[in-house]
Amino acid sequence: MSSSLSRRRFLAGFPALIGAGALHPAWALGTPATLPIPNLADGSDGKPVDLPIRQGEWSFLPGVKTPTLGFGQDYLGPTIRTRRGSELSLRYHNMSSEPVAVHGHGLHVPGDVDGGPQLEMAPGDRWDPTLSIVQPAATCWYHSHTHGRTGDQVYRGLAGMIIIDDEQADSLALPHRYGVDDLPIIIQDRTFDAQGRLVYSLMDSGDDGWFGETVIVNGAIAPVAKVPAGKVRLRLLNGANARFYIVTFADGRIFHKIATDGGLLEAPVPMTQMEMAPGERCEIVVDLSDGRSAGLLTLFEDEFEDEEDEGLLGGLLGLFDRSESEKTLPPPSLTLEVDNALMPHTAPLPDRLIALARPPESAIVRTRDFMLEMNHSGAGGHGQGHAMMDMAINGAAMDMNVINERIERGVWERWRFRSDQGEHPFHVHGCSFLIDKVAGESVPADQKGWKDMVVLDDDGWSEIIVRFDHPATDRTPYMYHCHILEHEDRGMMGQFTVS
Ligand code: C2O
Ligand code: CU
Ligand code: CU
């Protein structure tokens, strides 16, 4: 883990922790917000889930209404819960005044229901895809994928969580009561102007992408969640546009990571801190049977200085003498507060979660290399959206009319990624994959599960092994892209078919 934390990004960081997880001053005036828990939309029995896309007004700051977008609510959308073996039927209706495409991130579904930019809904349009859920239990999400506007629309609220259940996960003694001991935790950062409006500009986003100043969790600033005095499962989603977070508890307590993007790990991995890239999901279980509150910190990875060998891990632990000096700690982004009236989940964590079958080396039939380019000289100018297309992969900026790769269905491949500058969180549609190398180094235990996000840099190849089991045609291809949404909108994305 320390190696992945020490990799350097585009700008030299500064060592001060001041401002990490900074709170808007308005927060200090009010009582802390309660953690908003998005409504649960049951999509397991074939009943359609209505997802009207509409403008709204949401109070991030006490007493201030901020213009936003959401799915049937003012900001974000309901948590869609479905099951392996279900037909998930979604009913989108674009009631906003702009085009919107919505993608199911992490879902193993064919290209025609994947929700890439080809499936854009004009204002007033509807889209009713039915998705056969064939994959194992996992935490996925849905979000805007509109050509050239993804960053802007996600920033204003077009995102929500998807929970997939299955029998294997049901059979394990894991906390599973939604909103009680199984909490959706969508971490984002936003900047507000003096009127409380969201500040965003693709044009003004620097090389790092757009960083918000204030962390919000499920749309609230530094909220509190009442939880039982037992094991609590957090389904963490880094839903930020560009920010990498270091997630840790203020008191340094151990938690167990139980799942990566694509589902459960083989066994829980004990940790005290972990990095989360934009787009990534991590399920963790934290034990609150000691009755003490736990503050979840979401530190800004970009604010830590690169230190050659000890890296961030060393720097972090050195700066935080957690037992005595509260003042060196940034305030928690979320506080879990024990409520003894709630029935706790006290069963021990299972030692084993799932069995993970890795294909033999001989089954991997071909290798593809992807080079992410920050300064793509050939492109420039403006794309079909409103983005400047000045970033690229393998010499080509995203072009809706070009298929960049054609892939054979049902066959294992090795994909290798690298960049010409800095660290990027890479995502591939239509699959989960296994990571073989992270920037030239071996894979930490907590990333050895199914993933759809891999971090890469300019230092060494990141490698995955991947297989696509569903078709994607020229008309509705899959995407692969950097999940720094400003990089995606600036062309760091490609299209591929599976047949
Ligand atoms: Cu989460 Cu193509 O995206
Ligand atoms: Cu995706
Ligand atoms: Cu990038």
Side-chain angles (χ1 to χ4, degrees):
M1 200 62 205
S2 61
S3 63
S4 79
L5 294 178
S6 69
R7 273 175 284 118
R8 201 49 257 139
R9 307 196 43 224
F10 316 106
L11 303 169
F14 44 92
L17 274 175
I18 316 306
L23 293 174
H24 193 278
W27 173 77
L29 304 171
T31 45
T34 299
L35 176 71
I37 300 292
N39 290 331
L40 208 50
D42 184 3
S44 60
D45 58 1
K47 211 171 70 192
V49 174
D50 279 312
L51 296 165
I53 297 158
R54 61 167 178 83
Q55 271 117 343
E57 282 190 326
W58 178 260
S59 289
F60 296 95
L61 310 166
V64 181
K65 295 249 186 250
T66 300
T68 48
L69 289 173
F71 295 97
Q73 56 189 60
D74 288 306
Y75 184 76
L76 302 176
T79 297
I80 300 168
R81 183 157 221 165
T82 185
R83 277 188 86 74
R84 184 177 204 169
S86 297
E87 297 294 306
L88 171 62
S89 125
L90 305 176
R91 275 196 207 151
Y92 292 105
H93 183 192
N94 183 5
M95 300 167 75
S96 81
S97 55
E98 54 201 282
V100 180
V102 188
H103 164 60
H105 178 136
L107 301 184
H108 303 184
V109 296
D112 60 350
V113 291
D114 181 60
Q118 275 77 9
L119 290 159
E120 181 175 293
M121 291 167 268
D125 277 7
R126 296 170 189 271
W127 183 47
D128 300 338
T130 297
L131 287 61
S132 298
I133 304 299
V134 295
Q135 70 198 87
T139 300
C140 299
W141 61 307
Y142 59 105
H143 62 76
S144 157
H145 217 300
T146 317
H147 188 64
R149 302 174 182 241
T150 295
D152 178 57
Q153 291 182 343
V154 169
Y155 196 79
R156 283 183 288 149
L158 291 187
M161 191 172 275
I162 301 174
I163 297 176
I164 301 173
D165 297 314
D166 72 2
E167 277 167 27
Q168 169 65 16
D170 289 353
S171 73
L172 296 166
L174 294 170
H176 205 55
R177 288 171 295 166
Y178 182 78
V180 180
D181 58 15
D182 181 352
L183 307 180
I185 304 292
I186 303 176
I187 305 164
Q188 300 173 310
D189 45 66
R190 298 291 181 263
T191 296
F192 302 95
D193 70 10
Q195 283 77 49
R197 289 171 308 204
L198 291 167
V199 179
Y200 182 80
S201 164
L202 177 61
M203 291 299 183
D204 297 334
S205 67
D207 278 356
D208 281 331
W210 188 263
F211 288 164
E213 291 163 357
T214 303
V215 172
I216 55 175
V217 176
N218 298 352
I221 299 171
V224 172
K226 300 272 192 204
V227 295
K231 297 199 174 60
V232 175
R233 175 191 204 158
L234 303 180
R235 295 178 188 261
L236 302 167
L237 158 63
N238 180 348
N241 280 39
R243 189 85 77 174
F244 287 66
Y245 297 109
I246 296 149
V247 176
T248 184
F249 285 95
D251 60 5
R253 74 173 64 202
I254 288 174
F255 56 86
H256 284 82
K257 183 162 163 186
I258 58 166
T260 48
D261 304 313
L264 293 167
L265 284 158
E266 289 197 284
V269 177
M271 308 181 82
T272 54
Q273 57 189 326
M274 65 184 173
E275 186 189 43
M276 282 192 77
E280 195 175 11
R281 289 87 65 213
C282 294
E283 291 182 39
I284 65 170
V285 173
V286 57
D287 195 342
L288 290 149
S289 54
D290 61 9
R292 290 188 294 126
S293 295
L296 185 80
L297 305 183
T298 53
L299 310 174
F300 295 174
E301 196 226 38
D302 46 288
E303 293 192 355
F304 290 88
E305 195 172 26
D306 186 27
E307 284 161 42
E308 266 310 305
D309 30 30
E310 277 178 287
L312 185 56
L313 196 71
L316 184 60
L317 292 176
L319 276 166
F320 289 3
D321 186 345
R322 297 178 195 236
S323 55
E324 63 176 51
S325 179
E326 288 279 305
K327 55 184 180 292
T328 58
L329 292 172
S333 296
L334 167 69
T335 303
L336 303 175
E337 227 174 72
V338 167
D339 178 349
N340 286 307
L342 299 169
M343 174 83 107
H345 176 103
T346 52
L349 265 187
D351 299 330
R352 305 275 309 159
L353 298 169
I354 58 157
L356 199 148
R358 214 196 124 91
E361 215 45 42
S362 61
I364 302 168
V365 301
R366 83 170 266 183
T367 300
R368 289 176 212 257
D369 287 352
F370 299 87
M371 175 61 85
L372 280 64
E373 293 144 0
M374 288 289 288
N375 297 299
H376 173 53
S377 45
H382 294 250
Q384 291 157 269
H386 300 277
M388 31 183 186
M389 291 288 177
D390 59 354
M391 296 188 185
I393 299 173
N394 290 346
M398 167 70 177
D399 181 339
M400 297 259 279
N401 301 311
V402 173
I403 300 294
N404 303 90
E405 300 287 335
R406 298 191 177 272
I407 288 151
E408 191 185 336
R409 188 170 166 181
V411 159
W412 286 100
E413 297 195 356
R414 176 178 303 276
W415 287 17
R416 311 195 314 152
F417 309 103
R418 196 167 171 159
S419 80
D420 63 359
Q421 193 192 335
E423 197 177 16
H424 304 257
F426 204 75
H427 170 55
V428 184
H429 286 210
C431 68
S432 299
F433 51 69
L434 294 170
I435 303 181
D436 239 11
K437 283 223 159 56
V438 182
E441 293 175 39
S442 59
V443 189
D446 72 290
Q447 289 190 50
K448 283 187 176 157
W450 291 107
K451 297 274 300 160
D452 53 56
M453 299 290 321
V454 61
V455 175
L456 62 100
D457 71 8
D458 49 25
D459 218 37
W461 292 97
S462 288
E463 303 189 12
I464 63 169
I465 53 173
V466 63
R467 191 185 76 194
F468 298 91
D469 291 333
H470 305 280
T473 63
D474 285 60
R475 234 169 64 85
T476 52
Y478 288 135
M479 308 290 130
Y480 51 74
H481 57 91
C482 178
H483 221 286
I484 291 176
L485 299 181
E486 291 72 35
H487 291 184
E488 174 185 338
D489 282 339
R490 288 169 70 173
M492 201 178 270
M493 174 152 71
Q495 310 197 99
F496 65 101
T497 59
V498 177
S499 56

